[in-house]
Amino acid sequence: MPSANVTVKTSNNVNPIIWHTIDWRSVHKKVNNLRKRIYRASANGNMKLAGNLQKLMLKSNANKLLAIRRVTLVNQGKSTPGIDKVVVNTDRGREELVQKLVKIIPSSVQPIRRVYIPKKGGKARPLGLPTILDRCKQAIVKSALEPFWEAKFEGCSYGFRLGRSPHDAIQKLFCIVRPGKTRRWVLDADIEGAFDNISHDFLVKAIGNFPGRHWIFAWLKSGVMESCKFTVTTAGTPQGGIISPLLANIALHGIEDVLNITYDKHGRLNQKSEYALVRYADDFVICAKTEESCTKAKEIIGNWLNIRGLKLSENKTKILSIKQGFDFLGFNIRQYKTESKRRGITVLIRPSKDSIKSFKKSMILEWKKSVAWSLDRVIENLNPKIKGWCSYFNKTASKRTFAMLDNWMWIRQAKFVRRRHPKKHWWWLKPKYWGGIKGRNDKWVFMDKSKHRDLYLWKPGWTEIKRHVLVFGKASPDNPELQSYWQKRQTYNKKYLFKTRQIIWRKQEGKCPVCMDVIDNGEKIHLHHKLPRKSGGTDHINNLALLHTNCHIQVHSKQGQQIAAVSKLLEPYAG
């Protein structure tokens, strides 16, 4: 039985591999162990050992298998083709990718496909889409380069990094500007066209003697294909590439040094430092005690960025007082006067007006396009969008916003119902579309009563506010000394709105029991019944498991059931 434990390469050919016979637990273990060794060598300054381990990672068959899975199953752009118009969404296609990835040739890099997506202000953001094969190659190289730089990256960097999120950046900002702190002025900065203008020469120098540098140079110079016209690229790393966010973080590394920001031995910000910084990719906020200090920081950062081929956006870069408030990553951070606090002031973080406006606009479009749909389809289409938005904002003071959206959503429901039944009276509409559900004292729940089980629309006001726990200092999942820290961190924040999934997620310690990767890695999640319902299985928590889509298919495949890890999971709940 071919698996990740079996060498897939022979002298000239590749042994055929069956996708669902891959032991993903073994694959993740090998790649993660190698990442930790690269991190340790980089942290200890052993560049020769780090380089040898990176070469090993580039040749690793386990790394190639994992790259294919991430590109074709996890990444958001998995269904978007490059210039070759090829999309891999079948197991046969993934097996063919394994054959192609045995030998990586830099000269085989193809140009990227340019597409545009709308952004604020009526402008368009350019995206560069490599071919699926080039994305897999980039994922392989990224696994070798990322842990090396994770040992060097600053603690103030939160964008596109493992174990870090926008909520960490927001929580860090709150710690800097909360009542009792002295940094009341903010430089809200934005880099103009960061991904499109990064200097290639600077990136080449920063990457140094990385064993896969030749592939990175080839991707940077691969060119752009737009409307059948080829354009040579002389700067920038295209948004849409797997490795582009990492390259952007490398280019922007060192911003704390130029501002002389220091920390004590416990990782806390040194009060003697003039500035405090929070960066999420190319957006960053610098906090200072005076307006003059912010003006000075703007000049320092401007000169620092020029070396990298970048500059600050004059329209989006502002110097503000915390009393005025500012928007960052979809949130609004502002200081308010209050009589309920000892200091007479409080800092509140709420969803920004633009975020609320954007959500309402998207909901209006969803309601309008679904007027002719069946009611169950309408609810199943809206619920993920509502829950996703609420899950992003439930880490801050959003209760009033959620309550306001409850009222607004009720008006949209009423308009939707009136449009479907313009001649029906209200006494007929109310019992047909609204009712109560068990456990909630609410008789105005929009629901479909025609099914064997009640299907209802989630209300934003039901979302529980749960504060986010800030990641510690420079902590990285690749650091082998912090394994217990990351395991405990998995239990800090609730990942789901429904308690059943919360309990299952906590029992699994946030990991998929088949592949042992984190369950929230971006791949779709299925609810698996250990003893199938057709065989008498129930919805009891002990009979359920949260699995990645690929792992769930493997569990039910004949080939997958031969793997020990999968077979153990199939043991039914005897209760």
Side-chain angles (χ1 to χ4, degrees):
M1 178 188 69
S3 75
N5 295 319
V6 179
T7 302
V8 297
K9 184 176 179 181
T10 60
S11 57
N12 295 315
N13 300 312
V14 180
N15 294 331
I17 187 169
I18 302 173
W19 186 253
H20 288 307
T21 62
I22 298 172
D23 186 352
W24 289 109
R25 183 174 294 194
S26 174
V27 166
H28 280 282
K29 184 177 180 180
K30 288 182 177 181
V31 173
N32 289 338
N33 285 345
L34 202 48
R35 287 181 66 104
K36 287 178 172 60
R37 292 175 66 189
I38 294 172
Y39 180 97
R40 186 189 294 114
S42 176
N44 294 335
N46 192 339
M47 298 299 106
K48 183 177 180 180
L49 176 59
N52 290 335
L53 291 171
Q54 287 175 323
K55 290 179 184 177
L56 188 60
M57 179 70 90
L58 293 173
K59 296 177 181 178
S60 169
N61 289 325
N63 186 25
K64 293 172 184 177
L65 293 171
L66 196 57
I68 294 171
R69 176 168 177 170
R70 286 174 175 166
V71 169
T72 62
L73 287 167
V74 178
N75 290 349
Q76 291 184 350
K78 57 182 176 291
S79 300
T80 310
I83 62 168
D84 59 357
K85 299 182 180 180
V86 173
V87 173
V88 177
N89 51 21
T90 64
D91 295 338
R92 179 63 62 85
R94 297 181 187 103
E95 291 164 5
E96 291 175 357
L97 277 177
V98 176
Q99 311 279 330
K100 296 177 182 178
L101 285 177
V102 169
K103 190 174 182 180
I104 303 178
I105 305 174
S107 59
S108 66
V109 172
Q110 293 183 283
I112 62 173
R113 182 169 74 94
R114 176 75 79 199
V115 297
Y116 294 89
I117 58 174
K119 57 185 292 190
K120 293 179 183 178
K123 297 181 180 180
R125 185 191 304 276
L127 287 184
L129 302 175
T131 62
I132 294 295
L133 183 60
D134 279 336
R135 289 179 220 175
C136 291
K137 295 175 183 178
Q138 289 186 15
I140 293 169
V141 173
K142 182 183 177 182
S143 291
L145 183 62
E146 189 173 43
F148 178 88
W149 278 93
E150 276 292 319
K152 299 179 179 296
F153 282 147
E154 300 155 323
C156 68
S157 172
Y158 296 98
F160 305 113
R161 291 185 58 192
L162 292 175
R164 291 167 180 253
S165 69
H167 302 110
D168 288 303
I170 293 298
Q171 187 64 25
K172 181 63 176 180
L173 259 180
F174 176 78
C175 293
I176 294 171
V177 301
R178 70 179 188 265
K181 299 298 182 179
T182 57
R183 294 180 177 87
R184 301 294 184 195
W185 286 89
V186 170
L187 172 63
D188 182 12
D190 183 83
I191 302 173
E192 186 175 335
F195 283 85
D196 299 325
N197 298 308
I198 295 174
S199 168
H200 287 176
D201 291 337
F202 181 85
L203 269 178
V204 168
K205 185 178 178 181
I207 292 170
N209 293 325
F210 170 61
R213 60 189 179 278
H214 305 296
W215 298 309
I216 294 177
F217 302 161
W219 289 318
L220 291 175
K221 302 293 185 182
S222 62
V224 175
M225 186 70 72
E226 182 179 358
S227 302
C228 299
K229 182 180 179 182
F230 177 78
T231 305
V232 177
T233 49
T234 57
T237 173
Q239 295 188 60
I242 300 292
I243 203 170
S244 294
L246 174 59
L247 296 179
N249 275 333
I250 292 172
L252 295 174
H253 173 66
I255 194 169
E256 280 190 335
D257 293 336
V258 75
L259 292 173
N260 293 320
I261 298 174
T262 58
Y263 298 85
D264 62 20
K265 61 180 181 180
H266 302 292
R268 294 174 297 201
L269 185 66
N270 194 328
Q271 293 302 315
K272 294 181 180 179
S273 296
E274 187 176 2
Y275 301 106
L277 171 72
V278 174
R279 181 173 70 84
Y280 192 89
D282 58 333
D283 294 329
F284 59 92
V285 172
I286 298 173
C287 301
K289 298 179 181 180
T290 63
E291 185 177 4
E292 291 74 18
S293 293
C294 288
T295 304
K296 178 183 174 183
K298 183 178 179 181
E299 182 180 351
I300 294 171
I301 293 299
N303 296 331
W304 183 80
L305 288 174
N306 286 337
I307 302 172
R308 291 152 175 78
L310 303 171
K311 64 178 181 178
L312 292 173
S313 171
E314 293 297 330
N315 296 330
K316 297 181 180 179
T317 301
K318 302 174 183 177
I319 296 176
L320 302 163
S321 168
I322 190 63
K323 295 179 181 179
Q324 297 173 264
F326 63 97
D327 293 347
F328 187 60
L329 303 178
F331 295 88
N332 178 263
I333 302 102
R334 185 178 176 184
Q335 184 187 98
Y336 296 87
K337 291 183 179 180
T338 180
E339 297 180 358
S340 60
K341 301 291 183 180
R342 185 181 63 180
R343 299 180 186 274
I345 57 172
T346 186
V347 173
L348 293 181
I349 302 177
R350 298 170 172 172
S352 68
K353 291 182 180 179
D354 286 343
S355 297
I356 297 171
K357 183 178 179 181
S358 177
F359 175 73
K360 287 182 176 180
K361 185 177 180 180
S362 67
M363 286 294 102
I364 289 173
L365 293 176
E366 293 297 331
W367 279 111
K368 285 184 176 179
K369 78 177 185 181
S370 60
V371 68
W373 294 357
S374 61
L375 194 56
D376 59 337
R377 184 183 173 190
V378 172
I379 294 174
E380 288 173 352
N381 173 59
L382 288 173
N383 268 342
K385 297 175 175 62
I386 297 171
K387 292 174 186 176
W389 194 87
C390 293
S391 294
Y392 183 78
F393 289 103
N394 75 333
K395 312 293 189 300
T396 57
S398 305
K399 203 65 179 176
R400 287 186 180 181
T401 302
F402 291 160
M404 176 273 292
L405 288 175
D406 277 347
N407 296 330
W408 184 85
M409 285 292 287
W410 187 91
I411 295 172
R412 298 310 313 174
Q413 295 164 17
K415 288 183 178 180
F416 172 82
V417 169
R418 281 293 188 189
R419 189 175 180 184
R420 284 170 73 109
H421 309 284
K423 297 183 179 180
K424 292 293 184 180
H425 292 285
W426 189 252
W427 57 264
W428 183 88
L429 294 173
K430 182 181 181 298
K432 180 175 176 62
Y433 287 97
W434 288 277
I437 59 174
K438 185 178 179 181
R440 296 194 182 275
N441 186 22
D442 189 343
K443 301 300 181 184
W444 288 93
V445 180
F446 192 76
M447 59 198 309
D448 180 11
K449 300 180 181 180
S450 63
K451 302 297 179 181
H452 66 279
R453 61 182 180 87
D454 288 340
L455 183 65
Y456 55 86
L457 190 68
W458 181 265
K459 286 191 173 185
W462 293 345
T463 308
E464 181 184 2
I465 302 298
K466 180 68 175 179
R467 299 298 179 185
H468 183 76
V469 179
L470 177 64
V471 66
F472 173 74
K474 296 183 178 181
S476 170
D478 288 323
N479 188 343
E481 298 177 1
L482 295 179
Q483 288 189 19
S484 60
Y485 168 78
W486 288 103
Q487 289 174 359
K488 290 179 181 178
R489 186 169 172 79
Q490 290 290 331
T491 63
Y492 287 161
N493 299 309
K494 294 181 179 178
K495 299 291 183 181
Y496 301 99
L497 298 179
F498 292 113
K499 287 189 176 180
T500 300
R501 292 202 171 199
Q502 286 179 17
I503 295 170
I504 299 171
W505 179 86
R506 201 157 43 238
K507 285 178 65 177
Q508 296 178 187
E509 296 181 347
K511 295 182 179 180
C512 173
V514 174
C515 66
M516 293 307 291
D517 190 19
V518 290
I519 198 72
D520 306 297
N521 66 352
E523 190 173 344
K524 288 186 178 180
I525 300 169
H526 286 182
L527 196 62
H528 168 67
H529 289 75
K530 298 177 183 178
L531 181 64
R533 279 184 289 191
K534 65 181 180 181
S535 302
T538 66
D539 290 333
H540 191 281
I541 288 176
N542 290 339
N543 193 46
L544 300 176
L546 292 173
L547 306 180
H548 296 130
T549 303
N550 185 76
C551 295
H552 196 205
I553 296 173
Q554 186 179 43
V555 164
H556 290 288
S557 68
K558 292 182 179 179
Q559 297 96 342
Q561 291 178 19
Q562 301 173 45
I563 302 173
V566 175
S567 300
K568 182 176 284 189
L569 184 70
L570 285 171
E571 294 177 2
Y573 164 58

